[in-house]
Amino acid sequence: MSYTCLIVDDEPFARKLMEQYVAKVPELTLVQSCSSPLTAIEVLRQNPIDIMFLDINMPEITGLSLLKVLQKKPLVVLTTAYSEYALEGYELDVADYLLKPITLERFLKSVEKVLGRLRSAPSAAGLIPPDVPQVPNASNAYIFVKDGTRLVKIQLRDILYIEGLKDYVGIYTKDKKIVTLQTMKALETQLPENQFIRIHNSFIVAFAAIDAIDREKVQIGKAFLPVSDTYKKSFKEFIEKHQVGG
């Protein structure tokens, strides 16, 4: 399997070094190496990119500003000489953070980390084979998730709720629990918004599976899941919109 990547850095030497590093990894295919975030936006519009190596301090707009304006992002590895940007980068859900000067050893370690995410979550990275249909709004819709060495097909109608477990998620269905290496954010993008709602940083629930709502808790079977302040308003609006007669 080959994964496409994009290098964005205004420094010619830094770009050249990253190009040399990318060339040493057989699984990586460099689509373009560009000096401008504005050029990067055009490349992302026209090409499927799996990984973007992105410098932070650039003219026109910064790497962080670029991330904030992109609606659909590849996995991002930030590259910079300034460590103070690390926290903000992780808040934007970047895959890794490389501090310049970047050694080959550190680059390879980062790439292996990112490739691990891509291999373990093919549907999140847009890597479902073409003969596997993804029909999010159909009654027979499903997703594929990695379970150990297997890809497991899960019918959306069977999902009760999803729990975030650091780098993993637990998917609770009517008859089993599947733990897969994937982020909540990546999985959430695969779920139809009219059927699933996030109620907490750690929980996404299926609307059809809710048995009761009691103050700040949602009951699904024997499970009582918290509704956090962050999602309280959106959850209330979701319920009002989808209740009978609403």
Side-chain angles (χ1 to χ4, degrees), residues 1 4 19 72 76 88 92 112-113 115-117 143-144 146 151 178 190 203 205 244:
M1 175 69 74
T4 57
E19 290 167 12
K72 186 176 181 181
V76 175
E88 186 175 358
L92 292 169
E112 187 57 34
K113 177 181 178 180
L115 291 182
R117 286 181 59 171
I143 57 174
F144 276 91
K146 190 85 170 182
L151 274 178
I178 296 173
Q190 301 175 63
F203 293 103
V205 300
V244 175

Side-chain angles (χ1 to χ4, degrees), residues 25-43:
V25 183
E27 286 182 88
L28 295 183
T29 298
L30 181 61
V31 173
Q32 191 164 330
S33 178
C34 54
S35 60
S36 166
L38 299 180
T39 303
I41 291 174
E42 290 303 314
V43 175

Side-chain angles (χ1 to χ4, degrees), residues 1 3 48-50 72 118 121-130 134 190:
M1 175 69 74
Y3 299 95
I49 301 295
D50 297 311
K72 186 176 181 181
L118 289 170
S123 56
L127 301 174
I128 288 293
Q134 298 290 298
Q190 301 175 63

Side-chain angles (χ1 to χ4, degrees), residues 116-180:
R117 286 181 59 171
L118 289 170
R119 296 183 194 114
S120 300
S123 56
L127 301 174
I128 288 293
D131 60 337
V132 180
Q134 298 290 298
V135 192
N137 293 315
S139 59
N140 64 341
Y142 56 83
I143 57 174
F144 276 91
V145 298
K146 190 85 170 182
D147 182 18
T149 59
R150 305 179 303 155
L151 274 178
V152 179
K153 179 180 179 181
I154 304 177
Q155 298 285 347
L156 294 186
R157 64 173 179 265
D158 291 336
I159 297 175
L160 302 177
Y161 64 94
I162 298 162
E163 180 181 12
L165 308 165
K166 291 187 178 181
D167 293 331
Y168 294 80
V169 295
I171 302 174
Y172 293 78
T173 69
K174 297 175 181 179
D175 56 5
K176 60 186 174 183
K177 173 186 176 184
I178 296 173
V179 176
T180 182

Side-chain angles (χ1 to χ4, degrees), residues 7 11-23 101-104 107:
I7 296 170
E11 299 176 9
F13 177 78
R15 286 199 311 276
K16 186 65 176 179
L17 181 65
M18 293 298 287
E19 290 167 12
Q20 293 172 353
Y21 285 174
V22 166
I102 302 168
T103 65
L104 177 59
F107 172 82

